[in-house]
Amino acid sequence: LMDTAATQPLQGLQSFFQRETPRMSALADQIWSLAELRYAETASAKLHIDGLAAVGFRITRDVAGISTAFMAEWGDEGPVLAFLGEYDALSGLNQQSGALVCQPSVDSPGLAGHGCGHHLLGTAAHFAAIALQEHLRRAGQQARVRFYGCPAEEGGSGKTFMARAGVFDDVDTALTWHPGSFTGVLSQATLANVQARFVFHGRASHAAHSPHLGRSGLDAVELMNVGVNYLREHMPADARVHYAVTDSGGFSPNVVQARAEVLYLIRARNNRDAAELYERVQNVARGAALMTDCRVEIVFDKAAAQGGGRFSGDTGRCRCRAGQPPAGQCAAGQGAGDLRRHRALRPCRRGNPVRLNRRGGRELDHPHRAGLGGLLRLRHAVAFMADGVARAVRAGTRGHGARSANPGR
């Protein structure tokens, strides 16, 4: 619980919160409807940039060479107090706000959706930044308030590239939060991870007339997946391996698929374990290619470290796609960790239909309460982060620290 001294600045800002809440709620709703994927959050980032610039924040664009990363700063002296905001969506999680069953959103076309609540995450951090700005103005205190627009948390490790570029080096305190089902401070460690695509190249043929001439890339993908599933028994208990078949090779069963692709995400407790497990997964892929007489192409996508230090291992060839960090930045494990947090919002769980509305409320059967939970989370997150900043300002120290909140109901 916040002590009396810490709550006094918040009590004095109640009129500010009441005035700005409709604007912040509208911002969250707009980003919900955009649902832009990693490194393509152009419109979402612009909404944050425009809102912060309008209240006097100086904007630095293209931070770390990433077109959808930015820094907004207010103030010229004092400790550097930063808020981290995210705004990327998840592929395949498009859903209608407030729906009790899985159904596509009517106001957000496409397959992507904010199933992890980043429309709230970034907006609440934005709200906290301008609330701190208002408090400092009223109190006559000095500090440099920053909002970091951090793209591609979902499968892109955007903060890792930003950390490696040194954009957080002079920050004294960094605070963020994540929508969830409870209010608390998270202190658990996160896993290092490596993501790579495995593309199998075979030879097309007619599956009935000349199957002996074909070499199936899809067979290789299936054999790789089977091999990795057998690997699970013999890897560290806290390691994780996930995959998604991103190209099955076509739609005609009477054609031997000449090309197929699978995306793998490997997680482990530290960089060394992640590198070792990644090498074992690569060996399974090579074995699948041998068994099917195909050629495997291993395309490193990204990595994030559990702690400091450079990720090492056979990363294959780097093929950064348009909009992703530029070539030469693909050894992403160097620097800070991925700061990935617990996923508490998951729509449409079998046997337990949960309505996930666009303001983050998880309601079981109360249509009139749609959006209330998320609005409360927004206020809780702002209060939590403002409390942390108030403590930092009062302490007057220039130590380095980070605090992660998970406000819920």
Side-chain angles (χ1 to χ4, degrees):
L1 295 177
M2 293 180 287
D3 57 36
T4 303
T7 59
Q8 287 177 352
L10 298 181
Q11 293 170 354
L13 289 173
Q14 288 307 306
S15 60
F16 172 82
F17 288 139
Q18 292 173 3
R19 183 181 76 243
E20 294 296 327
T21 291
R23 186 169 70 89
M24 292 294 103
S25 296
L27 174 61
D29 287 349
Q30 286 179 282
I31 294 174
W32 162 279
S33 298
L34 288 167
E36 296 173 302
L37 296 177
R38 65 173 196 168
Y39 296 118
E41 317 95 326
T42 305
S44 300
K46 186 177 186 301
L47 287 172
H48 280 297
I49 288 171
D50 291 347
L52 290 161
V55 295
F57 279 73
R58 304 181 296 275
I59 306 298
T60 302
R61 302 173 188 266
D62 299 331
V63 168
I66 304 172
S67 63
T68 54
F70 69 93
M71 182 185 74
E73 184 173 27
W74 178 87
D76 298 310
E77 58 183 80
V80 178
L81 309 175
F83 299 93
L84 310 183
E86 299 166 11
Y87 31 80
D88 58 326
L90 281 160
S91 178
L93 279 187
N94 183 319
Q95 66 276 335
Q96 177 61 35
S97 175
L100 283 171
V101 296
C102 291
Q103 65 182 67
S105 171
V106 296
D107 58 0
S108 179
L111 298 177
H114 277 286
C116 206
H118 289 184
H119 63 304
L120 294 173
L121 193 163
T123 301
H126 180 147
F127 203 171
I130 64 174
L132 176 59
Q133 175 197 37
E134 181 70 12
H135 167 68
L136 293 171
R137 279 173 169 166
R138 294 183 183 186
Q141 293 176 301
Q142 296 292 327
R144 293 162 64 189
V145 183
R146 287 183 187 171
F147 176 93
Y148 284 97
C150 304
E153 192 275 342
E154 301 290 357
S157 299
K159 290 188 211 67
T160 306
F161 291 108
M162 295 170 70
R164 193 182 67 176
V167 301
F168 305 119
D169 285 356
D170 63 341
V171 171
D172 292 295
T173 299
L175 301 100
T176 191
W177 75 296
H178 200 291
S181 56
F182 66 94
T183 299
V185 179
L186 301 183
S187 59
Q188 78 266 25
T190 57
L191 299 176
N193 67 78
V194 188
Q195 185 164 286
R197 294 186 294 125
F198 295 83
V199 186
F200 292 91
H201 301 272
R203 184 191 307 147
S205 71
H206 196 284
H209 289 175
S210 53
H212 59 289
L213 298 178
R215 302 293 184 267
S216 174
L218 180 58
D219 285 353
V221 164
E222 291 186 291
L223 284 169
M224 178 184 177
N225 294 341
V226 170
V228 171
N229 285 336
Y230 277 101
L231 178 65
R232 296 179 193 279
E233 182 183 358
H234 309 288
M235 66 186 196
D238 53 4
R240 302 287 184 269
V241 179
H242 326 283
Y243 66 87
V245 177
T246 54
D247 182 1
S248 63
F251 301 98
S252 299
N254 62 335
V255 175
V256 174
Q257 294 86 354
R259 183 188 186 278
E261 179 179 325
V262 61
L263 178 68
Y264 265 81
L265 177 59
I266 298 105
R267 303 180 193 261
R269 179 177 292 275
N270 53 50
N271 299 346
R272 183 194 62 204
D273 289 350
E276 291 177 355
L277 186 55
Y278 177 43
E279 178 61 29
R280 295 172 71 187
V281 170
Q282 289 182 91
N283 286 336
V284 171
R286 295 175 183 121
L290 285 173
M291 286 188 285
T292 55
D293 198 16
C294 290
R295 176 175 61 87
V296 62
E297 179 185 7
I298 301 172
V299 184
F300 173 80
D301 185 49
K302 63 100 177 178
Q306 187 273 339
R310 180 185 299 274
F311 176 82
S312 61
D314 179 10
T315 58
R317 286 197 294 149
C318 165
R319 286 189 173 181
C320 287
R321 300 172 183 172
Q324 292 184 341
Q329 289 194 351
C330 288
Q334 182 180 353
D338 191 28
L339 305 182
R340 196 171 300 273
R341 276 161 289 285
H342 173 67
R343 271 46 169 170
L345 301 181
R346 282 292 181 267
C348 306
R349 284 180 276 185
R350 291 184 180 179
N352 182 23
V354 175
R355 169 167 47 246
L356 173 66
N357 61 64
R358 62 185 173 184
R359 295 197 178 109
R362 296 174 69 228
E363 311 294 346
L364 291 179
D365 194 21
H366 301 285
H368 63 284
R369 294 180 61 190
L372 178 59
L375 196 56
L376 290 175
R377 285 187 183 85
L378 210 62
R379 297 288 290 273
H380 287 171
V382 172
F384 185 95
M385 289 188 281
D387 168 48
V389 169
R391 293 173 187 271
V393 172
R394 289 201 310 276
T397 61
R398 295 188 60 84
H400 291 267
R403 192 178 188 190
S404 175
N406 194 2
R409 294 173 61 182

